[in-house]
Amino acid sequence: MNQQIRVRFAPSPTGHLHIGGARTALFNWLFARHHRGAFILRIEDTDRSRSTDEYIDIIIEGMKWLNLDWDEGPFRQTERFDIYREYVEKLLKIGKAYHCYCSPEELERKRQIAISSGLPMKYDGKCRNLKSPAPDMPTAVRFKMPQEGLTIVNDLIKGRVTFENSQLEDLIIMRSDGTPTYNFVVVADDIDMKISHIIRGDDHLNNTPKQIHIYNAFDCETPQFAHLPMILGHDKSRLSKRHGATSVLAYREMGYLPEALVNYLVRLSWAHGDQEIFTKDELIEYFSLQNIGKSAAVFNPDKLLWLNSHYIMNSDVEKLAEMVMPFLIKKGIIAENQDIDLLWLSKTIHLLKERSKNLDELANSLRYFISDSVEIDPKAAEKFLKPQSLEYLCEIRNALFTQIFHLRLGRNRSEGSRKISEATES
RNA sequence: GGUCCCAUCGUCUAGAGGCCUAGGACAUAGCCCUCUCAAGGCUAAGACACGGGUUCGAAUCCCGUUGGGACUACCA
């Protein structure tokens, strides 16, 4: 293992693992695997009021479904508060941080004034050089940002980005309740975990100069940064619930294959010539930060669906049989513990997979072949099949499907099984 | 408002100054295959945001304009 390369995915458990987060995780994972480095999973749950254990489980489940395995973690920041306190103490001691006695209300008032008068909304530094601190008051701790000069971020994707230090404000690194804040813990953890490359969304690019100064305060070398372009909705605004499903597990529910989602996500801002379909091994071999584009990408459900049907068509029937099972159970097509002839199921799937774009559709088609007792009710069928497919099912003239039709009408499964064998072999 | 990022078909993208009459993929349309629906094959339509430079030569480099996005919390 290459000890030099260490990357991490650091979601906050305030919601599901969404499309954008999944792609960030994927790129980190690919980078680690390509370089034979370490991929670390870290849960950023310092905001206790918004973080839940349930979301942690959901995020981990999403990672597992996508087959993104990690080498270290999952670490939880709430279990590391002692470490952060030490780091804060150190900064206080060397004079890189100071106590701030301003109340949130006071700060909010100043911010409103700044907005209405069109001035920059920056902390005024009131407590920066306080001579006689009041030790009994609840205090937050602020980091002392340099106030002049430039900070340069040499980003592996965006290139050289320059920030004026005068724009940076003394950010709060520890709240008055003693809990540390994001921009600080990120750095503390990345130092502590010896992260070599930070690959994250470019919504963090503006945070980077602040974090660089924290590295400097600790006299630590900064890691390499790579800021990925955002994924947008069809209207080019940030992807959110109103654009449809954004959580990774929702795609599992809808019958998408993890390989299809991974293949779709990897092609957002990344390309390898004209190739569209990649195996996992190919991705690991080809992946490089160098051919990641700089511009945001619009999420396109049509192309994802096309990839999914491609992967369904090219999957082994045995594997599909296994994957479609939860859908059959959920729909009540088979009972939870029903004994089902897997060979028969596989052969039926073989006949249907070409026209199923997802596992949900596949299950719906299967309904008509599995339920012996169910007569076809066109009204009911209409709910699950497209008109053409319904027509196709009902007007069966194709010899092959005539046989299955008989089977479905429910005479004898072994009889049907024999006929499917004949059909699939010819 | 301030700071930062971005800009090739509707969408994802190829493009590293001449291989560009700008290539591929999704979606769209047509044709072929076919007893239906799919799948597959072929074809069509469809883009370098705009304006200035630099250069013998610009999608590609530089500047500006316009448009989009992100950040601007005792959120992450």
Side-chain angles (χ1 to χ4, degrees), chain A residues 44 46-47 50 102 158 175-176 182 203 236 238 267-269 274 276 295 298 354-355 392 397-398:
Chain A
E44 310 226 317
T46 54
D47 182 358
R50 295 200 305 145
C102 302
K158 304 285 185 183
R175 301 181 185 95
S176 46
Y182 167 76
D203 48 340
K236 305 219 175 194
R238 196 182 187 139
R267 286 284 289 100
L268 258 24
S269 298
D274 286 338
E276 293 287 349
S295 53
V298 173
E354 217 166 64
R355 67 201 82 228
Y392 143 76
R397 281 178 289 177
N398 184 314

Coordinates of all heavy atoms in Angstrom, one line a residue, chain A residues 44 46-47 50 102 158 175-176 182 203 236 238 267-269 274 276 295 298 354-355 392 397-398, chain B residues 1-2 4-7 11-13 23-26 35-38 69-71 73-76:
Chain A
E44 N -18.9 13.6 9.8 CA -18.7 15.0 10.3 C -20.0 15.4 11.0 O -20.9 16.0 10.5 CB -18.4 16.0 9.2 CG -17.2 15.5 8.4 CD -16.2 16.5 8.1 OE1 -16.5 17.6 7.8 OE2 -15.0 16.2 8.2
T46 N -20.3 17.2 14.0 CA -20.1 18.2 15.1 C -21.4 19.0 15.3 O -21.5 19.6 16.4 CB -19.0 19.2 14.7 OG1 -19.2 19.8 13.5 CG2 -17.6 18.5 14.7
D47 N -22.3 19.1 14.3 CA -23.5 19.8 14.6 C -24.5 18.9 15.2 O -25.3 18.2 14.5 CB -24.1 20.4 13.3 CG -25.3 21.2 13.5 OD1 -25.8 21.3 14.7 OD2 -25.9 21.8 12.5
R50 N -28.4 18.7 14.3 CA -28.9 18.3 13.0 C -28.4 16.9 12.6 O -29.0 16.3 11.7 CB -28.4 19.3 11.9 CG -29.1 20.7 12.1 CD -29.0 21.4 10.8 NE -27.7 21.5 10.2 CZ -27.4 21.5 8.9 NH1 -28.4 21.5 8.0 NH2 -26.1 21.6 8.5
C102 N -18.6 38.3 22.0 CA -19.8 38.8 21.4 C -20.9 37.8 21.4 O -20.7 36.6 21.1 CB -19.5 39.2 19.9 SG -18.1 40.4 19.8
K158 N -8.8 23.1 -10.4 CA -9.1 24.4 -10.8 C -7.8 25.3 -11.2 O -7.9 26.3 -11.7 CB -9.8 25.2 -9.7 CG -11.1 24.5 -9.2 CD -12.2 24.7 -10.2 CE -13.5 24.1 -9.7 NZ -14.6 24.2 -10.6
R175 N -17.5 26.8 19.5 CA -18.7 27.5 20.0 C -18.7 27.8 21.5 O -17.9 27.1 22.2 CB -20.0 26.7 19.6 CG -20.1 26.4 18.2 CD -21.4 25.6 17.9 NE -21.5 25.1 16.5 CZ -21.1 24.0 16.1 NH1 -20.5 23.1 16.9 NH2 -21.2 23.7 14.8
S176 N -19.6 28.6 21.9 CA -19.6 28.9 23.4 C -20.0 27.7 24.2 O -19.8 27.7 25.4 CB -20.5 30.1 23.7 OG -21.7 30.0 23.0
Y182 N -16.9 23.3 12.0 CA -16.5 22.6 10.8 C -15.1 22.9 10.2 O -14.2 22.1 10.1 CB -17.5 22.8 9.7 CG -17.0 22.4 8.3 CD1 -16.9 21.0 8.0 CD2 -16.6 23.3 7.4 CE1 -16.4 20.6 6.8 CE2 -16.1 22.9 6.1 CZ -16.0 21.6 5.8 OH -15.5 21.2 4.6
D203 N -17.9 23.6 -3.8 CA -18.5 24.6 -2.9 C -17.6 24.8 -1.7 O -17.9 25.8 -0.9 CB -19.9 24.0 -2.4 CG -19.9 22.6 -2.0 OD1 -18.9 21.9 -2.4 OD2 -20.8 22.2 -1.3
K236 N -30.3 23.9 -13.9 CA -28.9 24.4 -13.6 C -28.8 24.9 -12.2 O -27.8 25.6 -11.9 CB -28.4 25.4 -14.6 CG -28.5 24.9 -16.0 CD -27.3 25.3 -16.9 CE -27.4 24.7 -18.2 NZ -26.2 24.8 -19.0
R238 N -28.6 24.1 -8.0 CA -28.1 23.0 -7.2 C -29.1 21.9 -7.1 O -30.3 22.1 -6.8 CB -27.7 23.5 -5.8 CG -26.9 22.7 -5.0 CD -26.6 23.2 -3.7 NE -25.6 22.4 -3.1 CZ -24.6 22.9 -2.3 NH1 -24.4 24.1 -2.2 NH2 -23.7 22.1 -1.8
R267 N -19.1 9.5 -15.0 CA -19.0 10.2 -16.3 C -19.4 11.7 -16.1 O -19.5 12.4 -17.1 CB -19.8 9.5 -17.4 CG -19.1 8.3 -17.9 CD -18.0 8.6 -18.9 NE -18.5 9.1 -20.1 CZ -18.5 10.4 -20.5 NH1 -18.0 11.3 -19.6 NH2 -18.9 10.8 -21.6
L268 N -19.8 12.1 -15.0 CA -20.1 13.5 -14.7 C -18.8 14.2 -14.4 O -18.2 14.0 -13.3 CB -21.1 13.6 -13.6 CG -22.6 13.8 -13.8 CD1 -23.0 13.4 -15.2 CD2 -23.4 13.3 -12.8
S269 N -18.3 15.0 -15.3 CA -17.1 15.8 -15.2 C -15.8 15.0 -15.4 O -14.7 15.5 -15.2 CB -17.0 16.5 -13.8 OG -18.0 17.5 -13.7
D274 N -13.8 8.4 -25.7 CA -15.3 8.2 -26.0 C -15.9 7.1 -25.3 O -17.1 6.8 -25.6 CB -15.4 8.0 -27.5 CG -15.1 9.3 -28.3 OD1 -15.3 10.4 -27.8 OD2 -14.8 9.2 -29.5
E276 N -18.0 4.9 -22.8 CA -19.1 5.2 -22.0 C -19.3 4.1 -20.9 O -19.8 4.5 -19.8 CB -20.4 5.3 -22.8 CG -20.5 6.4 -23.8 CD -20.7 7.8 -23.1 OE1 -21.0 7.8 -21.9 OE2 -20.5 8.8 -23.8
S295 N -16.1 22.3 -15.2 CA -17.5 22.9 -15.2 C -18.5 22.0 -14.6 O -18.4 20.7 -14.7 CB -17.9 23.4 -16.6 OG -17.7 22.3 -17.5
V298 N -25.0 18.8 -15.4 CA -26.4 18.6 -15.2 C -26.8 17.2 -15.1 O -26.4 16.4 -16.0 CB -27.3 19.4 -16.2 CG1 -28.7 19.0 -16.1 CG2 -27.0 20.9 -16.2
E354 N -34.4 -8.0 -21.5 CA -34.1 -7.1 -22.6 C -35.0 -5.9 -22.6 O -34.7 -4.9 -23.2 CB -34.2 -7.9 -23.9 CG -33.1 -7.5 -24.9 CD -33.0 -8.5 -26.0 OE1 -34.0 -8.6 -26.7 OE2 -32.0 -9.1 -26.2
R355 N -36.2 -6.1 -22.1 CA -37.2 -5.0 -22.2 C -37.5 -4.4 -20.8 O -38.4 -3.7 -20.7 CB -38.5 -5.5 -22.9 CG -39.3 -6.5 -22.2 CD -40.2 -7.2 -23.1 NE -39.5 -8.3 -23.8 CZ -39.5 -8.5 -25.1 NH1 -40.2 -7.7 -25.9 NH2 -38.9 -9.5 -25.7
Y392 N -48.7 -6.3 -26.3 CA -47.8 -7.3 -26.7 C -48.1 -8.6 -25.9 O -48.1 -9.7 -26.4 CB -46.4 -6.8 -26.4 CG -45.4 -7.8 -25.9 CD1 -44.8 -8.8 -26.7 CD2 -45.0 -7.7 -24.5 CE1 -43.9 -9.7 -26.1 CE2 -44.1 -8.6 -24.0 CZ -43.6 -9.6 -24.8 OH -42.7 -10.4 -24.3
R397 N -48.8 -13.7 -30.3 CA -48.8 -14.6 -31.4 C -47.5 -15.3 -31.6 O -47.4 -16.4 -32.2 CB -49.2 -13.9 -32.7 CG -50.7 -13.6 -32.8 CD -51.0 -12.8 -34.0 NE -50.6 -11.4 -33.9 CZ -50.7 -10.6 -34.8 NH1 -51.2 -10.9 -36.0 NH2 -50.2 -9.3 -34.7
N398 N -46.5 -14.7 -31.1 CA -45.2 -15.3 -31.1 C -45.2 -16.6 -30.4 O -45.7 -16.8 -29.2 CB -44.2 -14.3 -30.3 CG -42.8 -14.8 -30.4 OD1 -42.5 -16.0 -30.1 ND2 -41.9 -13.9 -30.7
Chain B
rG1 P -25.5 42.4 -7.1 OP1 -24.6 42.3 -8.2 OP2 -26.3 41.3 -6.6 O5' -24.7 43.1 -5.8 C5' -24.5 44.5 -5.7 C4' -23.8 44.8 -4.4 O4' -24.6 44.2 -3.3 C3' -22.4 44.1 -4.3 O3' -21.4 44.9 -4.9 C2' -22.3 44.0 -2.8 O2' -21.8 45.2 -2.2 C1' -23.7 43.6 -2.4 N9 -23.9 42.2 -2.3 C8 -24.8 41.5 -3.0 N7 -24.9 40.2 -2.8 C5 -23.9 40.1 -1.8 C6 -23.4 38.9 -1.1 O6 -23.8 37.8 -1.2 N1 -22.4 39.2 -0.2 C2 -21.9 40.5 0.0 N2 -20.9 40.5 0.9 N3 -22.3 41.6 -0.6 C4 -23.3 41.3 -1.5
rG2 P -20.3 44.3 -5.8 OP1 -19.4 45.3 -6.3 OP2 -20.9 43.2 -6.6 O5' -19.4 43.5 -4.6 C5' -18.5 44.3 -3.8 C4' -17.9 43.3 -2.8 O4' -18.9 42.7 -2.1 C3' -17.1 42.2 -3.5 O3' -15.8 42.6 -3.8 C2' -17.1 41.2 -2.3 O2' -16.2 41.5 -1.3 C1' -18.5 41.3 -1.8 N9 -19.5 40.4 -2.4 C8 -20.4 40.8 -3.4 N7 -21.2 39.7 -3.7 C5 -20.7 38.7 -3.0 C6 -21.1 37.3 -3.0 O6 -22.0 36.8 -3.6 N1 -20.2 36.6 -2.1 C2 -19.2 37.1 -1.3 N2 -18.6 36.2 -0.6 N3 -18.9 38.3 -1.4 C4 -19.6 39.1 -2.2
rC4 P -11.7 37.5 -6.2 OP1 -10.3 37.6 -6.4 OP2 -12.7 38.2 -7.1 O5' -12.1 35.9 -6.4 C5' -11.4 34.9 -5.7 C4' -12.1 33.6 -5.7 O4' -13.4 33.8 -5.2 C3' -12.4 33.1 -7.1 O3' -11.2 32.5 -7.7 C2' -13.5 32.1 -6.8 O2' -12.9 30.9 -6.2 C1' -14.3 32.9 -5.8 N1 -15.4 33.6 -6.5 C2 -16.5 32.9 -6.9 O2 -16.6 31.7 -6.6 N3 -17.5 33.6 -7.5 C4 -17.4 34.9 -7.8 N4 -18.4 35.5 -8.4 C5 -16.2 35.6 -7.4 C6 -15.2 35.0 -6.8
rC5 P -11.1 32.4 -9.3 OP1 -9.8 32.0 -9.6 OP2 -11.7 33.6 -9.9 O5' -12.1 31.2 -9.6 C5' -11.9 29.9 -9.2 C4' -13.1 29.0 -9.5 O4' -14.3 29.6 -8.9 C3' -13.4 28.9 -10.9 O3' -12.6 28.0 -11.6 C2' -14.8 28.5 -10.9 O2' -14.9 27.1 -10.5 C1' -15.4 29.3 -9.8 N1 -16.0 30.6 -10.2 C2 -17.3 30.5 -10.8 O2 -17.8 29.5 -10.9 N3 -17.9 31.7 -11.2 C4 -17.2 32.9 -11.0 N4 -17.8 34.0 -11.4 C5 -15.9 32.9 -10.5 C6 -15.3 31.8 -10.1
rC6 P -12.2 28.2 -13.2 OP1 -11.2 27.2 -13.5 OP2 -11.9 29.7 -13.4 O5' -13.6 27.9 -13.9 C5' -14.1 26.6 -13.9 C4' -15.5 26.6 -14.4 O4' -16.3 27.5 -13.7 C3' -15.6 27.0 -15.9 O3' -15.3 25.9 -16.7 C2' -17.1 27.4 -16.0 O2' -17.9 26.2 -16.0 C1' -17.3 28.0 -14.6 N1 -17.2 29.5 -14.6 C2 -18.3 30.2 -15.2 O2 -19.3 29.6 -15.6 N3 -18.3 31.6 -15.2 C4 -17.2 32.2 -14.7 N4 -17.3 33.6 -14.7 C5 -16.1 31.5 -14.2 C6 -16.1 30.2 -14.2
rA7 P -14.8 26.3 -18.3 OP1 -14.3 25.0 -18.8 OP2 -14.0 27.5 -18.3 O5' -16.2 26.6 -19.0 C5' -17.3 25.6 -19.0 C4' -18.4 26.2 -19.8 O4' -18.8 27.4 -19.2 C3' -18.0 26.5 -21.3 O3' -18.7 25.8 -22.3 C2' -17.9 28.0 -21.4 O2' -18.5 28.5 -22.6 C1' -18.8 28.5 -20.2 N9 -18.2 29.7 -19.6 C8 -17.0 29.8 -18.8 N7 -16.8 31.0 -18.4 C5 -17.9 31.7 -18.8 C6 -18.2 33.1 -18.7 N6 -17.5 34.0 -18.0 N1 -19.4 33.5 -19.3 C2 -20.1 32.6 -19.9 N3 -19.9 31.3 -20.2 C4 -18.7 30.9 -19.6
rU11 P -27.8 22.1 -22.7 OP1 -27.6 23.0 -21.6 OP2 -26.8 22.1 -23.8 O5' -27.8 20.6 -22.1 C5' -28.5 20.3 -20.9 C4' -28.2 18.9 -20.5 O4' -28.8 18.0 -21.5 C3' -26.7 18.5 -20.5 O3' -26.1 18.9 -19.3 C2' -26.8 17.0 -20.7 O2' -27.3 16.4 -19.5 C1' -28.0 16.9 -21.7 N1 -27.4 16.9 -23.1 C2 -26.8 15.7 -23.6 O2 -26.8 14.7 -22.9 N3 -26.3 15.8 -24.8 C4 -26.3 16.9 -25.7 O4 -25.9 16.8 -26.8 C5 -26.9 18.1 -25.1 C6 -27.4 18.0 -23.9
rC12 P -24.5 19.2 -19.3 OP1 -24.2 19.7 -18.0 OP2 -24.1 19.8 -20.6 O5' -23.9 17.7 -19.4 C5' -24.2 16.8 -18.3 C4' -23.5 15.4 -18.6 O4' -24.1 14.9 -19.8 C3' -22.0 15.6 -18.9 O3' -21.2 15.7 -17.8 C2' -21.8 14.3 -19.7 O2' -21.7 13.2 -18.9 C1' -23.1 14.2 -20.5 N1 -22.9 14.8 -21.9 C2 -22.4 14.1 -22.9 O2 -22.0 12.9 -22.7 N3 -22.3 14.7 -24.1 C4 -22.7 15.9 -24.3 N4 -22.6 16.4 -25.6 C5 -23.3 16.7 -23.3 C6 -23.4 16.1 -22.1
rU13 P -19.9 16.5 -17.8 OP1 -19.3 16.4 -16.5 OP2 -20.2 17.9 -18.4 O5' -19.0 15.7 -18.8 C5' -18.1 16.3 -19.7 C4' -17.8 15.2 -20.8 O4' -19.0 15.1 -21.6 C3' -16.7 15.6 -21.8 O3' -15.5 15.3 -21.2 C2' -17.1 14.8 -23.0 O2' -16.7 13.4 -22.8 C1' -18.6 14.9 -23.0 N1 -19.1 16.0 -23.8 C2 -18.9 15.8 -25.2 O2 -18.4 14.9 -25.7 N3 -19.4 16.9 -25.9 C4 -20.0 18.0 -25.5 O4 -20.3 18.9 -26.3 C5 -20.1 18.1 -24.1 C6 -19.7 17.1 -23.3
rG23 P -18.0 16.1 -36.3 OP1 -17.8 16.1 -37.7 OP2 -19.2 16.7 -35.7 O5' -17.9 14.6 -35.7 C5' -16.9 13.8 -36.2 C4' -16.4 12.9 -35.0 O4' -15.7 13.7 -34.1 C3' -17.5 12.3 -34.2 O3' -18.1 11.1 -34.8 C2' -16.7 12.0 -32.9 O2' -15.9 10.9 -33.0 C1' -15.9 13.3 -32.8 N9 -16.7 14.3 -32.0 C8 -17.3 15.4 -32.5 N7 -17.9 16.1 -31.6 C5 -17.7 15.4 -30.4 C6 -18.2 15.7 -29.1 O6 -18.8 16.6 -28.7 N1 -17.8 14.7 -28.2 C2 -17.0 13.6 -28.6 N2 -16.7 12.7 -27.6 N3 -16.6 13.3 -29.8 C4 -17.0 14.3 -30.7
rG24 P -19.6 10.8 -34.5 OP1 -20.0 9.8 -35.5 OP2 -20.4 12.1 -34.4 O5' -19.6 10.2 -33.0 C5' -18.8 9.0 -32.8 C4' -18.8 8.7 -31.3 O4' -18.2 9.8 -30.6 C3' -20.1 8.5 -30.7 O3' -20.7 7.2 -30.8 C2' -19.7 8.8 -29.2 O2' -19.1 7.6 -28.7 C1' -18.8 9.9 -29.3 N9 -19.4 11.2 -29.2 C8 -19.7 12.1 -30.2 N7 -20.4 13.2 -29.8 C5 -20.5 13.0 -28.5 C6 -21.1 13.8 -27.5 O6 -21.6 14.9 -27.6 N1 -21.0 13.2 -26.2 C2 -20.4 12.0 -25.9 N2 -20.5 11.6 -24.7 N3 -19.9 11.2 -26.8 C4 -19.9 11.8 -28.1
rA25 P -22.3 7.0 -30.8 OP1 -22.5 5.6 -31.1 OP2 -22.9 8.1 -31.6 O5' -22.6 7.3 -29.3 C5' -22.3 6.4 -28.3 C4' -22.8 6.8 -27.0 O4' -22.1 8.1 -26.6 C3' -24.2 7.2 -26.9 O3' -25.0 6.0 -26.7 C2' -24.3 8.1 -25.7 O2' -24.1 7.3 -24.5 C1' -23.0 8.9 -25.9 N9 -23.3 10.1 -26.7 C8 -23.1 10.4 -28.0 N7 -23.5 11.6 -28.4 C5 -24.0 12.2 -27.2 C6 -24.6 13.4 -27.0 N6 -24.8 14.3 -27.9 N1 -25.0 13.6 -25.7 C2 -24.9 12.7 -24.8 N3 -24.3 11.5 -24.9 C4 -23.9 11.3 -26.2
rC26 P -26.5 6.0 -27.2 OP1 -27.0 4.6 -27.1 OP2 -26.7 6.7 -28.5 O5' -27.3 7.0 -26.1 C5' -27.4 6.5 -24.8 C4' -28.1 7.6 -24.0 O4' -27.3 8.8 -24.0 C3' -29.4 8.0 -24.5 O3' -30.5 7.1 -24.1 C2' -29.6 9.3 -23.8 O2' -29.9 9.2 -22.5 C1' -28.2 9.9 -23.9 N1 -28.0 10.7 -25.2 C2 -28.5 12.0 -25.2 O2 -29.1 12.4 -24.2 N3 -28.4 12.8 -26.3 C4 -27.7 12.3 -27.4 N4 -27.6 13.1 -28.4 C5 -27.2 11.0 -27.4 C6 -27.4 10.2 -26.3
rC35 P -41.7 -12.0 -39.0 OP1 -42.0 -13.5 -38.8 OP2 -41.5 -11.6 -40.4 O5' -42.9 -11.2 -38.4 C5' -44.0 -10.8 -39.2 C4' -45.2 -10.6 -38.3 O4' -45.7 -11.9 -38.0 C3' -44.9 -10.0 -37.0 O3' -45.0 -8.6 -37.1 C2' -46.0 -10.5 -36.1 O2' -47.2 -9.9 -36.2 C1' -46.1 -12.0 -36.6 N1 -45.3 -12.9 -35.9 C2 -45.8 -13.5 -34.7 O2 -46.9 -13.1 -34.3 N3 -45.0 -14.4 -34.0 C4 -43.8 -14.7 -34.5 N4 -43.1 -15.6 -33.7 C5 -43.3 -14.1 -35.6 C6 -44.0 -13.3 -36.3
rU36 P -43.9 -7.7 -36.4 OP1 -43.7 -6.5 -37.2 OP2 -42.8 -8.5 -35.9 O5' -44.6 -7.2 -35.0 C5' -45.9 -6.5 -35.1 C4' -46.4 -6.2 -33.7 O4' -46.6 -7.5 -33.0 C3' -45.4 -5.5 -32.8 O3' -45.6 -4.1 -33.0 C2' -45.9 -5.9 -31.4 O2' -47.1 -5.2 -31.1 C1' -46.2 -7.4 -31.7 N1 -45.1 -8.3 -31.3 C2 -44.7 -8.4 -30.0 O2 -45.3 -7.7 -29.1 N3 -43.7 -9.2 -29.8 C4 -43.0 -9.9 -30.7 O4 -42.1 -10.7 -30.3 C5 -43.4 -9.8 -32.0 C6 -44.5 -9.0 -32.3
rC37 P -44.3 -3.2 -32.9 OP1 -44.7 -1.8 -33.3 OP2 -43.2 -3.8 -33.6 O5' -44.0 -3.2 -31.3 C5' -44.9 -2.7 -30.4 C4' -44.4 -2.9 -29.0 O4' -44.4 -4.4 -28.7 C3' -42.9 -2.5 -28.8 O3' -42.9 -1.1 -28.6 C2' -42.6 -3.3 -27.6 O2' -43.1 -2.8 -26.4 C1' -43.2 -4.7 -27.9 N1 -42.4 -5.6 -28.6 C2 -41.5 -6.4 -27.9 O2 -41.5 -6.3 -26.6 N3 -40.7 -7.2 -28.5 C4 -40.7 -7.3 -29.8 N4 -39.9 -8.2 -30.4 C5 -41.6 -6.5 -30.6 C6 -42.4 -5.7 -30.0
rA38 P -41.5 -0.4 -28.9 OP1 -41.7 1.1 -28.5 OP2 -40.9 -0.7 -30.2 O5' -40.6 -0.9 -27.7 C5' -39.2 -1.1 -27.9 C4' -38.7 -2.1 -26.9 O4' -39.3 -3.4 -27.2 C3' -37.2 -2.3 -27.0 O3' -36.4 -1.4 -26.3 C2' -37.0 -3.7 -26.5 O2' -37.1 -3.7 -25.1 C1' -38.3 -4.4 -27.0 N9 -38.0 -4.9 -28.4 C8 -38.6 -4.5 -29.6 N7 -38.1 -5.2 -30.6 C5 -37.3 -6.1 -30.1 C6 -36.5 -7.2 -30.6 N6 -36.5 -7.4 -31.9 N1 -35.8 -7.9 -29.8 C2 -35.8 -7.7 -28.5 N3 -36.5 -6.7 -27.8 C4 -37.2 -6.0 -28.7
rG69 P -27.9 30.1 -11.2 OP1 -29.2 29.5 -10.9 OP2 -27.7 31.6 -11.1 O5' -26.7 29.4 -10.5 C5' -26.5 28.0 -10.6 C4' -25.2 27.6 -10.2 O4' -24.2 28.3 -10.9 C3' -24.9 28.0 -8.7 O3' -25.4 27.1 -7.8 C2' -23.3 27.9 -8.7 O2' -22.9 26.5 -8.8 C1' -23.0 28.5 -10.1 N9 -22.8 30.0 -10.0 C8 -23.5 31.0 -10.4 N7 -23.0 32.2 -10.1 C5 -21.8 31.9 -9.5 C6 -20.8 32.7 -9.0 O6 -20.7 33.9 -9.0 N1 -19.7 32.0 -8.4 C2 -19.7 30.6 -8.4 N2 -18.6 30.1 -7.8 N3 -20.6 29.8 -8.9 C4 -21.6 30.5 -9.4
rA70 P -25.8 27.6 -6.4 OP1 -26.7 26.6 -5.7 OP2 -26.3 29.0 -6.4 O5' -24.4 27.6 -5.7 C5' -23.7 26.4 -5.4 C4' -22.3 26.7 -4.9 O4' -21.7 27.6 -5.8 C3' -22.3 27.5 -3.6 O3' -22.4 26.6 -2.5 C2' -20.9 28.1 -3.7 O2' -19.9 27.1 -3.4 C1' -20.8 28.5 -5.1 N9 -21.3 29.9 -5.4 C8 -22.4 30.3 -5.9 N7 -22.5 31.6 -6.1 C5 -21.3 32.0 -5.6 C6 -20.8 33.3 -5.4 N6 -21.4 34.5 -5.8 N1 -19.6 33.5 -4.8 C2 -18.9 32.3 -4.5 N3 -19.3 31.1 -4.6 C4 -20.5 31.0 -5.1
rC71 P -23.2 27.2 -1.2 OP1 -23.4 26.0 -0.3 OP2 -24.3 28.0 -1.6 O5' -22.1 28.1 -0.6 C5' -20.9 27.6 -0.1 C4' -19.9 28.7 0.2 O4' -19.7 29.5 -1.0 C3' -20.4 29.7 1.2 O3' -20.2 29.3 2.5 C2' -19.5 30.9 0.9 O2' -18.2 30.7 1.3 C1' -19.4 30.8 -0.7 N1 -20.5 31.7 -1.3 C2 -20.2 33.1 -1.4 O2 -19.1 33.5 -0.9 N3 -21.1 33.9 -2.0 C4 -22.2 33.4 -2.4 N4 -23.1 34.2 -3.0 C5 -22.5 32.0 -2.4 C6 -21.6 31.2 -1.8
rA73 P -21.6 34.8 7.0 OP1 -22.8 34.1 6.6 OP2 -21.7 36.3 7.3 O5' -20.8 34.2 8.3 C5' -21.1 32.9 8.7 C4' -21.8 32.9 10.0 O4' -23.2 32.6 9.9 C3' -21.2 31.8 10.9 O3' -20.8 32.1 12.2 C2' -22.2 30.6 10.6 O2' -22.3 29.8 11.7 C1' -23.5 31.3 10.2 N9 -24.0 30.6 9.0 C8 -23.7 30.7 7.7 N7 -24.3 29.9 6.9 C5 -25.2 29.2 7.7 C6 -26.2 28.3 7.5 N6 -26.5 27.8 6.3 N1 -26.9 27.8 8.6 C2 -26.6 28.3 9.8 N3 -25.7 29.2 10.1 C4 -25.0 29.6 9.1
rC74 P -21.4 33.0 13.2 OP1 -22.8 33.4 12.9 OP2 -20.6 34.0 13.9 O5' -21.5 31.7 14.2 C5' -20.4 30.9 14.3 C4' -20.8 29.8 15.2 O4' -20.5 30.1 16.6 C3' -22.3 29.5 15.1 O3' -22.5 28.1 15.0 C2' -22.9 30.1 16.5 O2' -23.8 29.2 17.1 C1' -21.6 30.1 17.4 N1 -21.5 31.1 18.3 C2 -21.4 30.8 19.7 O2 -21.4 29.6 20.0 N3 -21.4 31.8 20.6 C4 -21.4 33.0 20.3 N4 -21.3 34.0 21.2 C5 -21.5 33.4 18.9 C6 -21.6 32.4 18.0
rC75 P -23.3 27.0 14.8 OP1 -24.3 26.9 15.8 OP2 -22.1 26.2 14.9 O5' -23.9 26.8 13.4 C5' -23.1 26.4 12.3 C4' -23.7 25.2 11.6 O4' -24.5 25.7 10.4 C3' -22.7 24.2 11.0 O3' -22.3 23.3 12.0 C2' -23.6 23.6 10.0 O2' -24.5 22.7 10.5 C1' -24.4 24.8 9.4 N1 -23.7 25.4 8.2 C2 -24.0 24.9 6.9 O2 -24.9 24.0 6.9 N3 -23.5 25.5 5.9 C4 -22.6 26.4 6.0 N4 -22.0 26.9 4.9 C5 -22.2 26.9 7.3 C6 -22.8 26.4 8.4
rA76 P -20.8 22.7 12.0 OP1 -20.8 21.9 13.2 OP2 -19.9 23.8 11.8 O5' -20.8 21.8 10.7 C5' -21.6 20.6 10.6 C4' -21.5 20.1 9.2 O4' -22.0 21.2 8.3 C3' -20.1 19.9 8.7 O3' -19.6 18.6 9.0 C2' -20.3 20.1 7.2 O2' -20.8 19.0 6.6 C1' -21.3 21.2 7.1 N9 -20.6 22.6 7.1 C8 -20.2 23.3 8.1 N7 -19.6 24.4 7.7 C5 -19.7 24.4 6.4 C6 -19.3 25.3 5.4 N6 -18.7 26.5 5.6 N1 -19.5 25.0 4.1 C2 -20.1 23.8 3.8 N3 -20.5 22.9 4.7 C4 -20.3 23.3 5.9

